[in-house]
Amino acid sequence: YIPGGSKEQIESLAELQRRTTSPENAAKLREAVDRFDGVDLLADLKLPTLVLHARDDGVHPLDQGRKLAGHIENSTFIMLESRNHAILEGEPAWASLFEEMTRFVSNK
């Protein structure tokens, strides 16, 4: 989730995951997410949608973000330069993340 994170950030995320679910439930959740496909519902979205995706996200490949945006009629796709699934404060993509969200909200 955060390969570009510091040792402390990675340990903090691991601790959060340990505290919030059992290993069995985590595996079930991951399996459910991997099997979930709502692509047939995306055409029904009729509002402006911002899709942000990290270029080298190890959890969900970039093509999945592009596919998601491609199925939403009024979407804007923004690729962030990061390896992290969760963008971390202090990495270059952090500023881009907030710039793009601010631009999107300001234009709608």
Side-chain angles (χ1 to χ4, degrees):
Y1 284 87
I2 52 173
S6 68
K7 182 179 181 205
E8 292 79 18
Q9 289 169 319
I10 293 168
E11 288 174 355
S12 177
L13 177 60
E15 180 61 22
L16 176 65
Q17 291 173 324
R18 277 191 293 276
R19 288 178 179 235
T20 56
T21 192
S22 68
E24 296 79 19
N25 282 343
K28 288 177 185 176
L29 179 59
R30 183 74 252 170
E31 182 181 339
V33 168
D34 288 345
R35 287 186 294 133
F36 179 79
D37 184 1
V39 74
D40 56 326
L41 303 172
L42 298 177
D44 293 337
L45 294 177
K46 303 298 181 196
L47 65 160
T49 303
L50 178 62
V51 178
L52 300 157
H53 202 288
R55 176 189 296 274
D56 296 314
D57 184 334
V59 178
H60 297 287
L62 184 61
D63 66 325
Q64 289 182 348
R66 286 194 170 129
K67 179 181 176 183
L68 176 69
H71 283 89
I72 301 172
E73 182 179 322
N74 194 11
S75 71
T76 301
F77 177 80
I78 301 294
M79 182 178 60
L80 301 169
E81 293 296 335
S82 180
R83 295 173 45 216
N84 298 313
H85 182 70
I87 305 302
L88 298 172
E89 184 175 8
E91 70 174 300
W94 182 260
S96 298
L97 171 69
F98 285 93
E99 288 169 12
E100 295 297 344
M101 288 190 300
T102 300
R103 182 184 352 260
F104 182 80
V105 171
S106 297
N107 290 331
K108 302 303 173 205

XYZ file of all heavy atoms in Angstrom:
850
model
N 0.808 -1.202 0.000
C 0.000 0.000 0.000
C 0.851 1.267 0.000
O 0.475 2.254 -0.597
C -0.953 0.012 1.191
C -2.127 -0.915 1.002
C -2.037 -2.255 1.351
C -3.295 -0.448 0.444
C -3.115 -3.108 1.165
C -4.375 -1.293 0.251
C -4.282 -2.621 0.616
O -5.339 -3.465 0.415
N 1.967 1.231 0.695
C 2.824 2.416 0.748
C 4.304 2.025 0.662
O 5.072 2.264 1.587
C 2.538 3.267 2.006
C 2.599 2.421 3.289
C 1.215 3.999 1.889
C 2.501 3.251 4.575
N 4.722 1.472 -0.480
C 6.123 1.066 -0.599
C 7.091 2.240 -0.503
O 8.259 2.046 -0.165
C 6.194 0.396 -1.973
C 5.044 0.955 -2.722
C 3.970 1.202 -1.697
N 6.616 3.446 -0.758
C 7.468 4.624 -0.638
C 7.425 5.244 0.742
O 8.007 6.303 0.967
N 6.739 4.589 1.665
C 6.612 5.123 3.014
C 7.856 4.878 3.850
O 8.677 4.016 3.550
N 7.961 5.651 4.915
C 9.055 5.452 5.866
C 8.786 4.181 6.668
O 7.669 3.644 6.662
C 9.147 6.645 6.817
O 7.997 6.682 7.668
N 9.796 3.723 7.368
C 9.627 2.538 8.220
C 8.495 2.770 9.220
O 7.667 1.886 9.447
C 10.940 2.238 8.944
C 10.880 1.007 9.818
C 12.203 0.742 10.498
C 12.068 -0.532 11.333
N 12.980 -0.601 12.424
N 8.436 3.957 9.776
C 7.399 4.276 10.765
C 6.006 4.263 10.135
O 5.048 3.770 10.743
C 7.679 5.639 11.409
C 8.914 5.675 12.283
C 10.222 5.791 11.498
O 10.199 6.193 10.296
O 11.273 5.444 12.070
N 5.880 4.808 8.933
C 4.582 4.825 8.263
C 4.118 3.411 7.930
O 2.948 3.075 8.124
C 4.652 5.670 6.985
C 4.775 7.146 7.250
C 5.115 7.928 6.008
O 5.941 7.502 5.194
N 4.485 9.085 5.850
N 5.017 2.590 7.440
C 4.671 1.208 7.100
C 4.283 0.431 8.347
O 3.282 -0.290 8.370
C 5.831 0.538 6.342
C 6.004 1.217 4.968
C 5.600 -0.960 6.189
C 7.277 0.850 4.237
N 5.041 0.602 9.421
C 4.722 -0.074 10.678
C 3.385 0.406 11.240
O 2.603 -0.384 11.765
C 5.839 0.127 11.693
C 7.092 -0.664 11.361
C 8.268 -0.368 12.290
O 8.156 0.534 13.167
O 9.305 -1.037 12.132
N 3.107 1.697 11.109
C 1.843 2.253 11.595
C 0.665 1.665 10.827
O -0.359 1.293 11.420
C 1.862 3.773 11.459
O 0.637 4.324 11.862
N 0.795 1.563 9.506
C -0.271 0.965 8.700
C -0.462 -0.507 9.061
O -1.592 -0.978 9.214
C 0.039 1.106 7.211
C -0.969 0.451 6.260
C -2.362 1.032 6.445
C -0.509 0.601 4.822
N 0.626 -1.228 9.224
C 0.532 -2.650 9.595
C -0.158 -2.805 10.946
O -1.016 -3.691 11.125
C 1.920 -3.284 9.619
N 0.172 -1.944 11.890
C -0.463 -1.993 13.216
C -1.952 -1.669 13.122
O -2.782 -2.322 13.758
C 0.233 -1.030 14.179
C -0.346 -1.012 15.576
C -0.273 -2.346 16.316
O 0.563 -3.211 15.967
O -1.063 -2.520 17.268
N -2.295 -0.674 12.322
C -3.703 -0.322 12.125
C -4.469 -1.508 11.545
O -5.559 -1.840 12.006
C -3.821 0.883 11.189
C -5.237 1.307 10.817
C -5.997 1.810 12.041
C -5.188 2.379 9.736
N -3.880 -2.164 10.557
C -4.539 -3.327 9.961
C -4.694 -4.457 10.970
O -5.735 -5.121 11.020
C -3.757 -3.793 8.732
C -3.844 -2.813 7.584
C -2.944 -3.172 6.426
O -1.835 -3.669 6.616
N -3.404 -2.904 5.220
N -3.675 -4.682 11.790
C -3.764 -5.734 12.817
C -4.866 -5.440 13.823
O -5.560 -6.353 14.275
C -2.429 -5.882 13.551
C -1.418 -6.750 12.839
C -0.223 -7.084 13.717
N 0.583 -5.919 14.028
C 1.532 -5.410 13.258
N 1.806 -5.967 12.097
N 2.213 -4.352 13.628
N -5.033 -4.176 14.170
C -6.026 -3.794 15.186
C -7.458 -3.786 14.663
O -8.396 -3.875 15.445
C -5.714 -2.405 15.739
C -4.523 -2.371 16.631
C -4.258 -0.940 17.087
N -3.120 -0.894 17.962
C -3.161 -0.372 19.176
N -4.272 0.154 19.635
N -2.083 -0.375 19.922
N -7.632 -3.613 13.345
C -8.977 -3.399 12.824
C -9.639 -4.635 12.227
O -10.847 -4.604 11.971
C -8.976 -2.276 11.770
O -8.042 -2.592 10.735
C -8.614 -0.944 12.400
N -8.888 -5.699 12.001
C -9.520 -6.909 11.479
C -8.625 -8.112 11.722
O -7.413 -7.973 11.912
C -9.845 -6.776 9.976
O -10.705 -7.850 9.590
C -8.593 -6.779 9.124
N -9.238 -9.258 11.712
C -8.473 -10.498 11.861
C -7.823 -10.844 10.523
O -8.292 -10.402 9.464
C -9.399 -11.634 12.286
O -10.287 -11.953 11.222
N -6.788 -11.682 10.541
C -6.197 -12.122 9.269
C -7.220 -12.807 8.358
O -7.203 -12.607 7.144
C -5.099 -13.095 9.703
C -4.732 -12.666 11.085
C -6.022 -12.169 11.691
N -8.123 -13.570 8.943
C -9.139 -14.268 8.160
C -10.084 -13.270 7.472
O -10.403 -13.423 6.288
C -9.948 -15.232 9.045
C -9.126 -16.368 9.632
C -8.295 -15.956 10.857
O -8.593 -14.916 11.481
O -7.337 -16.683 11.162
N -10.532 -12.263 8.230
C -11.423 -11.258 7.638
C -10.696 -10.405 6.600
O -11.292 -10.013 5.599
C -12.046 -10.380 8.714
C -13.183 -11.067 9.430
O -13.720 -12.062 8.953
N -13.551 -10.548 10.590
N -9.435 -10.112 6.834
C -8.659 -9.343 5.855
C -8.570 -10.112 4.536
O -8.723 -9.527 3.455
C -7.266 -9.035 6.408
N -8.336 -11.409 4.619
C -8.251 -12.234 3.406
C -9.604 -12.276 2.693
O -9.666 -12.173 1.458
C -7.785 -13.642 3.755
N -10.699 -12.403 3.457
C -12.034 -12.417 2.855
C -12.351 -11.080 2.197
O -12.935 -11.036 1.105
C -13.088 -12.742 3.916
C -13.064 -14.177 4.377
C -14.083 -14.390 5.487
C -13.991 -15.793 6.042
N -14.907 -16.002 7.179
N -11.984 -10.000 2.848
C -12.220 -8.674 2.299
C -11.439 -8.488 0.995
O -11.974 -8.012 -0.004
C -11.825 -7.595 3.312
C -11.998 -6.154 2.876
C -13.447 -5.853 2.520
C -11.521 -5.214 3.974
N -10.174 -8.888 0.991
C -9.351 -8.762 -0.213
C -9.956 -9.573 -1.361
O -10.032 -9.126 -2.502
C -7.926 -9.231 0.079
C -6.958 -9.094 -1.072
C -6.570 -7.656 -1.298
N -7.200 -7.170 -2.512
C -7.225 -5.903 -2.895
N -6.665 -4.986 -2.154
N -7.800 -5.528 -3.992
N -10.401 -10.785 -1.050
C -11.015 -11.637 -2.070
C -12.289 -10.995 -2.621
O -12.515 -10.993 -3.838
C -11.330 -13.014 -1.491
C -11.927 -13.964 -2.498
C -12.263 -15.316 -1.894
O -11.712 -15.685 -0.851
O -13.111 -16.014 -2.490
N -13.114 -10.433 -1.746
C -14.354 -9.796 -2.188
C -14.055 -8.591 -3.075
O -14.697 -8.400 -4.119
C -15.186 -9.379 -0.978
N -13.095 -7.785 -2.697
C -12.727 -6.612 -3.499
C -12.191 -7.047 -4.861
O -12.522 -6.456 -5.889
C -11.706 -5.733 -2.745
C -11.096 -4.682 -3.654
C -12.356 -5.083 -1.528
N -11.391 -8.081 -4.876
C -10.828 -8.562 -6.134
C -11.897 -9.109 -7.085
O -11.726 -9.062 -8.297
C -9.771 -9.641 -5.881
C -8.494 -9.075 -5.290
O -8.300 -7.839 -5.341
O -7.685 -9.861 -4.775
N -12.995 -9.624 -6.551
C -14.051 -10.191 -7.379
C -15.136 -9.179 -7.740
O -15.925 -9.406 -8.641
C -14.697 -11.394 -6.688
C -13.794 -12.612 -6.694
C -14.475 -13.844 -6.140
N -14.758 -13.649 -4.720
C -15.914 -13.920 -4.133
N -16.908 -14.431 -4.805
N -16.082 -13.720 -2.841
N -15.174 -8.059 -7.043
C -16.216 -7.062 -7.261
C -16.056 -6.408 -8.624
O -14.969 -6.008 -9.017
C -16.148 -5.988 -6.165
C -17.177 -4.912 -6.318
C -18.475 -5.137 -5.914
C -16.849 -3.693 -6.875
C -19.443 -4.152 -6.064
C -17.802 -2.706 -7.022
C -19.101 -2.934 -6.620
N -17.140 -6.312 -9.371
C -17.119 -5.657 -10.672
C -18.406 -4.860 -10.842
O -19.473 -5.421 -11.066
C -16.985 -6.685 -11.793
C -16.863 -6.058 -13.165
O -16.866 -4.813 -13.264
O -16.768 -6.813 -14.140
N -18.295 -3.565 -10.724
C -19.460 -2.696 -10.870
C -19.435 -1.911 -12.170
O -20.114 -0.893 -12.302
N -18.656 -2.372 -13.144
C -18.490 -1.629 -14.396
C -19.821 -1.375 -15.093
O -20.007 -0.329 -15.706
C -17.468 -2.315 -15.324
C -18.025 -3.574 -15.957
C -16.969 -1.360 -16.382
N -20.766 -2.291 -14.950
C -22.056 -2.113 -15.609
C -22.886 -0.989 -14.978
O -23.840 -0.514 -15.581
C -22.851 -3.424 -15.610
C -23.054 -3.993 -14.218
O -22.152 -3.838 -13.370
O -24.104 -4.610 -13.965
N -22.512 -0.537 -13.794
C -23.224 0.551 -13.129
C -22.654 1.928 -13.471
O -23.304 2.945 -13.259
C -23.164 0.353 -11.609
C -23.716 -0.961 -11.079
C -23.423 -1.096 -9.587
C -25.204 -1.064 -11.362
N -21.431 1.956 -14.002
C -20.742 3.228 -14.217
C -21.407 4.115 -15.253
O -21.368 5.339 -15.142
C -19.276 2.973 -14.580
C -18.448 2.261 -13.509
C -17.039 1.992 -14.022
C -18.418 3.053 -12.212
N -22.026 3.540 -16.257
C -22.694 4.337 -17.291
C -23.856 5.142 -16.718
O -24.269 6.140 -17.306
C -23.179 3.443 -18.423
N -24.358 4.729 -15.560
C -25.471 5.448 -14.930
C -25.022 6.715 -14.214
O -25.847 7.547 -13.867
C -26.192 4.541 -13.927
C -26.903 3.378 -14.604
O -27.212 3.491 -15.809
O -27.133 2.360 -13.931
N -23.729 6.860 -13.999
C -23.229 8.067 -13.333
C -23.336 9.240 -14.290
O -22.794 9.210 -15.386
C -21.782 7.882 -12.877
C -21.550 6.849 -11.784
C -20.070 6.730 -11.491
C -22.310 7.227 -10.521
N -24.017 10.267 -13.862
C -24.245 11.431 -14.721
C -23.682 12.710 -14.108
O -24.082 13.796 -14.459
C -25.745 11.611 -14.988
C -26.408 10.405 -15.609
C -25.827 10.087 -16.974
C -26.531 8.885 -17.594
N -25.817 8.305 -18.694
N -22.762 12.577 -13.201
C -22.191 13.748 -12.567
C -20.691 13.776 -12.825
O -20.082 12.743 -13.096
C -22.463 13.729 -11.065
C -21.812 12.602 -10.257
C -21.774 13.007 -8.809
C -22.585 11.318 -10.404
N -20.092 14.954 -12.771
C -18.643 15.027 -12.957
C -17.940 14.146 -11.920
O -18.312 14.146 -10.744
C -18.330 16.506 -12.726
C -19.614 17.216 -12.968
C -20.690 16.263 -12.518
N -16.963 13.404 -12.379
C -16.264 12.451 -11.514
C -14.763 12.600 -11.713
O -14.288 12.617 -12.849
C -16.695 11.009 -11.857
O -18.110 10.907 -11.732
C -16.035 10.002 -10.943
N -14.044 12.688 -10.624
C -12.592 12.767 -10.660
C -12.026 11.414 -10.270
O -12.339 10.882 -9.204
C -12.089 13.841 -9.689
C -10.576 14.009 -9.567
C -9.965 14.436 -10.905
C -10.252 15.032 -8.483
N -11.215 10.839 -11.137
C -10.552 9.572 -10.867
C -9.063 9.850 -10.746
O -8.426 10.296 -11.695
C -10.816 8.540 -11.987
C -10.076 7.233 -11.706
C -12.318 8.291 -12.152
N -8.520 9.627 -9.564
C -7.096 9.819 -9.287
C -6.448 8.456 -9.130
O -7.006 7.580 -8.452
C -6.919 10.618 -7.986
C -7.534 12.011 -7.975
C -7.795 12.465 -6.563
C -6.628 12.982 -8.684
N -5.273 8.281 -9.721
C -4.618 6.974 -9.633
C -3.109 7.155 -9.668
O -2.592 7.907 -10.487
C -5.059 6.086 -10.792
C -4.876 4.635 -10.535
N -3.635 4.029 -10.515
C -5.763 3.662 -10.273
C -3.786 2.747 -10.260
N -5.067 2.496 -10.106
N -2.420 6.448 -8.802
C -0.959 6.486 -8.776
C -0.400 5.644 -9.916
O -0.869 4.522 -10.158
C -0.431 5.974 -7.445
N 0.599 6.177 -10.590
C 1.186 5.503 -11.755
C 1.633 4.077 -11.429
O 1.350 3.142 -12.163
C 2.388 6.287 -12.275
C 3.089 5.575 -13.437
C 4.403 6.225 -13.830
N 4.255 7.554 -14.342
C 3.998 7.855 -15.625
N 3.839 6.900 -16.508
N 3.900 9.113 -16.010
N 2.329 3.896 -10.334
C 2.907 2.588 -10.009
C 2.251 1.949 -8.788
O 2.905 1.269 -8.002
C 4.418 2.728 -9.799
C 5.116 3.169 -11.069
O 4.817 2.602 -12.142
O 5.952 4.085 -11.001
N 0.946 2.169 -8.650
C 0.176 1.592 -7.551
C 0.296 0.068 -7.616
O -0.041 -0.544 -8.622
C -1.285 2.016 -7.697
C -2.184 1.575 -6.567
O -1.880 0.568 -5.903
O -3.207 2.235 -6.346
N 0.778 -0.532 -6.552
C 0.943 -1.973 -6.506
C -0.313 -2.719 -6.102
O -0.380 -3.941 -6.193
N -1.345 -1.993 -5.659
C -2.597 -2.626 -5.248
C -3.535 -2.756 -6.446
O -4.103 -3.818 -6.680
C -3.272 -1.832 -4.109
C -4.597 -2.460 -3.714
C -2.342 -1.727 -2.905
N -3.693 -1.673 -7.189
C -4.547 -1.666 -8.374
C -3.743 -1.079 -9.532
O -3.340 0.085 -9.474
C -5.816 -0.841 -8.149
C -6.684 -1.392 -7.078
N -7.430 -2.531 -7.235
C -6.907 -0.976 -5.814
C -8.082 -2.787 -6.113
N -7.781 -1.864 -5.238
N -3.506 -1.845 -10.586
C -2.714 -1.351 -11.715
C -3.333 -0.117 -12.369
O -4.549 0.096 -12.315
C -2.715 -2.525 -12.692
C -3.036 -3.717 -11.864
C -3.923 -3.226 -10.759
N -2.500 0.672 -12.985
C -2.916 1.914 -13.626
C -4.040 1.690 -14.627
O -4.971 2.501 -14.707
C -1.712 2.569 -14.315
C -1.947 3.922 -14.963
C -2.397 4.959 -13.942
C -0.674 4.388 -15.658
N -4.015 0.607 -15.359
C -5.066 0.376 -16.358
C -6.444 0.246 -15.715
O -7.454 0.552 -16.343
C -4.753 -0.824 -17.244
C -4.760 -2.152 -16.519
O -4.352 -2.206 -15.343
O -5.163 -3.157 -17.142
N -6.502 -0.165 -14.452
C -7.800 -0.240 -13.774
C -8.371 1.150 -13.521
O -9.574 1.367 -13.647
C -7.681 -1.019 -12.468
C -7.470 -2.491 -12.688
C -7.400 -3.272 -11.389
O -7.284 -2.714 -10.304
N -7.460 -4.582 -11.511
N -7.502 2.096 -13.164
C -7.960 3.473 -12.989
C -8.436 4.074 -14.294
O -9.465 4.752 -14.350
N -7.687 3.815 -15.342
C -8.081 4.320 -16.671
C -9.388 3.673 -17.135
O -10.246 4.326 -17.730
C -6.971 4.065 -17.679
C -5.804 4.995 -17.472
C -4.880 4.954 -18.670
N -3.903 6.021 -18.546
C -2.605 5.863 -18.656
N -2.101 4.675 -18.902
N -1.800 6.892 -18.532
N -9.526 2.382 -16.876
C -10.756 1.675 -17.252
C -11.949 2.263 -16.506
O -13.003 2.510 -17.093
C -10.624 0.181 -16.948
C -11.852 -0.634 -17.284
C -11.641 -2.106 -16.928
C -12.898 -2.909 -17.161
N -12.749 -4.303 -16.767
N -11.771 2.496 -15.225
C -12.837 3.095 -14.423
C -13.265 4.426 -15.021
O -14.445 4.650 -15.279
C -12.358 3.283 -12.973
C -13.326 3.974 -12.026
C -14.521 3.071 -11.745
C -12.617 4.335 -10.739
N -12.305 5.314 -15.262
C -12.622 6.627 -15.829
C -13.249 6.497 -17.214
O -14.149 7.258 -17.566
C -11.362 7.483 -15.890
N -12.793 5.533 -17.985
C -13.305 5.347 -19.338
C -14.768 4.929 -19.394
O -15.428 5.119 -20.416
N -15.268 4.375 -18.314
C -16.664 3.941 -18.269
C -17.587 4.982 -17.639
O -18.794 4.739 -17.540
C -16.784 2.620 -17.508
C -16.352 1.440 -18.306
N -15.049 0.992 -18.329
C -17.037 0.629 -19.149
C -14.963 -0.053 -19.122
N -16.147 -0.289 -19.637
N -17.037 6.106 -17.230
C -17.843 7.169 -16.627
C -17.863 8.331 -17.611
O -16.824 8.912 -17.930
C -17.266 7.610 -15.264
C -17.229 6.416 -14.305
C -18.106 8.745 -14.681
C -16.492 6.699 -13.009
N -19.045 8.664 -18.075
C -19.207 9.644 -19.153
C -18.526 10.983 -18.886
O -17.843 11.514 -19.743
C -20.704 9.866 -19.399
C -21.000 10.817 -20.524
C -22.490 10.973 -20.746
O -23.218 9.977 -20.631
O -22.909 12.096 -21.040
N -18.702 11.542 -17.745
C -18.196 12.887 -17.462
C -17.055 12.816 -16.443
O -17.091 13.467 -15.415
C -19.343 13.761 -16.954
C -18.996 15.230 -16.954
O -17.988 15.651 -17.515
N -19.833 16.023 -16.321
N -16.048 11.996 -16.757
C -14.955 11.816 -15.800
C -13.688 12.526 -16.251
O -13.478 12.788 -17.429
C -14.658 10.334 -15.583
O -14.057 9.792 -16.738
N -12.861 12.818 -15.271
C -11.523 13.353 -15.492
C -10.560 12.384 -14.839
O -10.709 12.065 -13.656
C -11.368 14.748 -14.842
O -12.338 15.627 -15.409
C -9.973 15.307 -15.049
N -9.596 11.903 -15.606
C -8.601 10.971 -15.077
C -7.303 11.723 -14.837
O -6.803 12.409 -15.727
C -8.351 9.820 -16.058
C -7.288 8.869 -15.579
C -7.591 7.905 -14.636
C -5.987 8.960 -16.044
C -6.610 7.028 -14.175
C -5.005 8.095 -15.602
C -5.318 7.129 -14.658
N -6.758 11.581 -13.644
C -5.488 12.199 -13.290
C -4.557 11.112 -12.772
O -4.896 10.380 -11.832
C -5.651 13.290 -12.201
C -6.606 14.392 -12.668
C -4.299 13.838 -11.775
C -6.100 15.218 -13.823
N -3.396 11.026 -13.392
C -2.375 10.086 -12.928
C -1.414 10.837 -12.011
O -0.920 11.905 -12.356
C -1.606 9.506 -14.111
C -0.577 8.483 -13.682
S 0.269 7.768 -15.103
C 0.991 9.217 -15.842
N -1.191 10.275 -10.845
C -0.262 10.848 -9.879
C 1.051 10.077 -9.930
O 1.047 8.850 -10.047
C -0.856 10.786 -8.472
C -2.186 11.526 -8.293
C -2.807 11.180 -6.948
C -1.987 13.024 -8.440
N 2.137 10.783 -9.837
C 3.456 10.150 -9.875
C 3.793 9.606 -8.484
O 4.313 10.321 -7.631
C 4.522 11.155 -10.335
C 4.359 11.590 -11.774
C 4.527 10.453 -12.771
O 5.202 9.451 -12.467
O 3.969 10.573 -13.874
N 3.432 8.349 -8.278
C 3.658 7.715 -6.979
C 3.654 6.205 -7.136
O 3.062 5.671 -8.073
C 2.571 8.128 -5.987
O 2.781 7.511 -4.735
N 4.284 5.546 -6.187
C 4.223 4.084 -6.077
C 3.202 3.682 -5.034
O 2.894 2.506 -4.877
C 5.595 3.542 -5.651
C 6.686 3.755 -6.659
C 8.063 3.365 -6.122
N 8.045 2.097 -5.424
C 8.780 1.828 -4.334
N 9.591 2.733 -3.834
N 8.715 0.661 -3.767
N 2.707 4.648 -4.299
C 1.855 4.371 -3.149
C 0.379 4.339 -3.522
O -0.103 5.196 -4.259
C 2.077 5.428 -2.070
C 3.496 5.404 -1.562
O 4.041 4.352 -1.265
N 4.124 6.572 -1.486
N -0.333 3.379 -2.972
C -1.785 3.315 -3.135
C -2.418 4.473 -2.365
O -3.364 5.088 -2.838
C -2.293 1.965 -2.619
C -3.760 1.775 -2.777
N -4.352 1.607 -4.014
C -4.757 1.726 -1.863
C -5.654 1.458 -3.849
N -5.931 1.528 -2.558
N -1.901 4.737 -1.201
C -2.316 5.894 -0.401
C -1.206 6.930 -0.510
O -0.076 6.676 -0.108
C -2.526 5.484 1.053
N -1.537 8.077 -1.083
C -0.539 9.128 -1.272
C -0.143 9.661 0.101
O -0.988 9.957 0.943
C -1.093 10.259 -2.163
C -1.602 9.695 -3.497
C -0.050 11.346 -2.385
C -0.580 8.942 -4.317
N 1.161 9.780 0.300
C 1.688 10.186 1.600
C 2.104 11.649 1.610
O 2.677 12.155 0.635
C 2.907 9.324 1.950
C 2.642 7.828 2.079
C 3.954 7.073 2.223
C 1.717 7.545 3.256
N 1.821 12.296 2.721
C 2.264 13.678 2.897
C 3.779 13.723 2.763
O 4.485 12.861 3.286
C 1.851 14.192 4.276
C 2.180 15.641 4.493
C 1.659 16.169 5.807
O 1.165 15.380 6.645
O 1.753 17.388 6.006
N 4.259 14.688 2.011
C 5.694 14.837 1.841
C 6.214 14.300 0.524
O 7.268 14.710 0.060
N 5.477 13.382 -0.113
C 5.927 12.917 -1.429
C 5.429 13.915 -2.476
O 4.445 14.622 -2.255
C 5.451 11.494 -1.716
C 3.972 11.323 -1.945
C 3.609 9.905 -2.364
O 4.101 9.448 -3.408
O 2.837 9.259 -1.642
N 6.110 14.012 -3.619
C 5.711 14.996 -4.633
C 4.245 14.900 -5.057
O 3.610 15.923 -5.319
C 6.647 14.695 -5.803
C 7.862 14.117 -5.158
C 7.341 13.315 -3.986
N 3.693 13.708 -5.106
C 2.300 13.543 -5.541
C 1.301 14.146 -4.555
O 0.156 14.419 -4.919
C 1.985 12.066 -5.756
N 1.721 14.376 -3.321
C 0.828 14.941 -2.299
C 0.289 16.302 -2.749
O -0.917 16.541 -2.716
C 1.563 15.062 -0.970
C 0.767 15.587 0.162
C 0.773 16.875 0.645
C -0.145 14.873 0.998
N -0.076 16.990 1.710
C -0.652 15.777 1.949
C -0.580 13.550 1.019
C -1.571 15.398 2.920
C -1.501 13.170 1.995
C -1.988 14.088 2.927
N 1.177 17.180 -3.186
C 0.756 18.507 -3.643
C -0.129 18.384 -4.879
O -1.154 19.066 -4.995
C 1.969 19.384 -3.921
N 0.238 17.502 -5.807
C -0.561 17.297 -7.021
C -1.956 16.801 -6.677
O -2.945 17.232 -7.291
C 0.118 16.289 -7.944
O 1.363 16.755 -8.365
N -2.051 15.902 -5.726
C -3.339 15.361 -5.295
C -4.279 16.494 -4.891
O -5.412 16.589 -5.379
C -3.129 14.393 -4.123
C -4.363 13.879 -3.399
C -5.161 12.947 -4.289
C -3.958 13.176 -2.117
N -3.806 17.390 -4.038
C -4.657 18.473 -3.558
C -4.884 19.549 -4.608
O -5.972 20.134 -4.683
C -4.097 19.047 -2.252
C -4.356 18.121 -1.105
C -3.415 17.183 -0.732
C -5.571 18.142 -0.438
C -3.661 16.296 0.299
C -5.832 17.257 0.593
C -4.873 16.332 0.966
N -3.898 19.793 -5.461
C -4.098 20.741 -6.565
C -5.193 20.257 -7.498
O -6.065 21.026 -7.915
C -2.795 20.928 -7.346
C -1.749 21.723 -6.616
C -0.383 21.667 -7.295
O -0.297 21.204 -8.466
O 0.594 22.076 -6.659
N -5.149 18.979 -7.845
C -6.146 18.422 -8.764
C -7.533 18.388 -8.140
O -8.530 18.680 -8.812
C -5.733 17.034 -9.241
C -4.481 17.019 -10.089
C -4.601 17.789 -11.400
O -5.740 18.099 -11.834
O -3.559 18.063 -12.011
N -7.625 18.036 -6.863
C -8.935 18.036 -6.200
C -9.495 19.450 -6.124
O -10.688 19.666 -6.384
C -8.831 17.417 -4.805
C -8.634 15.921 -4.836
S -8.788 15.097 -3.229
C -7.512 15.873 -2.260
N -8.646 20.417 -5.790
C -9.093 21.813 -5.705
C -9.545 22.310 -7.069
O -10.599 22.943 -7.195
C -7.960 22.699 -5.151
O -7.618 22.228 -3.849
C -8.381 24.152 -5.091
N -8.771 22.011 -8.109
C -9.139 22.420 -9.472
C -10.474 21.800 -9.874
O -11.356 22.466 -10.421
C -8.046 22.010 -10.455
C -8.327 22.425 -11.880
C -7.311 21.970 -12.922
N -6.099 21.345 -12.441
C -4.914 21.969 -12.317
N -4.795 23.232 -12.642
N -3.857 21.313 -11.884
N -10.653 20.530 -9.596
C -11.867 19.826 -9.961
C -13.093 20.431 -9.261
O -14.103 20.721 -9.899
C -11.741 18.338 -9.620
C -12.941 17.528 -10.017
C -13.116 17.118 -11.329
C -13.886 17.153 -9.066
C -14.221 16.364 -11.695
C -14.989 16.407 -9.423
C -15.163 16.009 -10.742
N -12.987 20.643 -7.980
C -14.104 21.191 -7.211
C -14.393 22.630 -7.615
O -15.551 23.051 -7.701
C -13.837 21.075 -5.698
C -14.872 21.817 -4.896
C -13.779 19.614 -5.274
N -13.353 23.393 -7.913
C -13.523 24.797 -8.300
C -14.185 24.953 -9.661
O -14.864 25.949 -9.914
C -12.166 25.503 -8.336
O -11.596 25.510 -7.056
N -14.004 23.990 -10.543
C -14.555 24.069 -11.897
C -15.939 23.492 -12.012
O -16.531 23.516 -13.088
C -13.628 23.350 -12.892
C -12.332 24.097 -13.091
O -12.289 25.322 -12.961
N -11.277 23.379 -13.376
N -16.463 22.919 -10.965
C -17.778 22.249 -11.065
C -18.859 23.079 -10.450
O -18.798 23.906 -9.701
C -17.722 20.871 -10.412
C -16.659 19.952 -11.015
C -16.844 19.769 -12.489
C -15.693 19.002 -13.089
N -15.466 19.233 -14.459
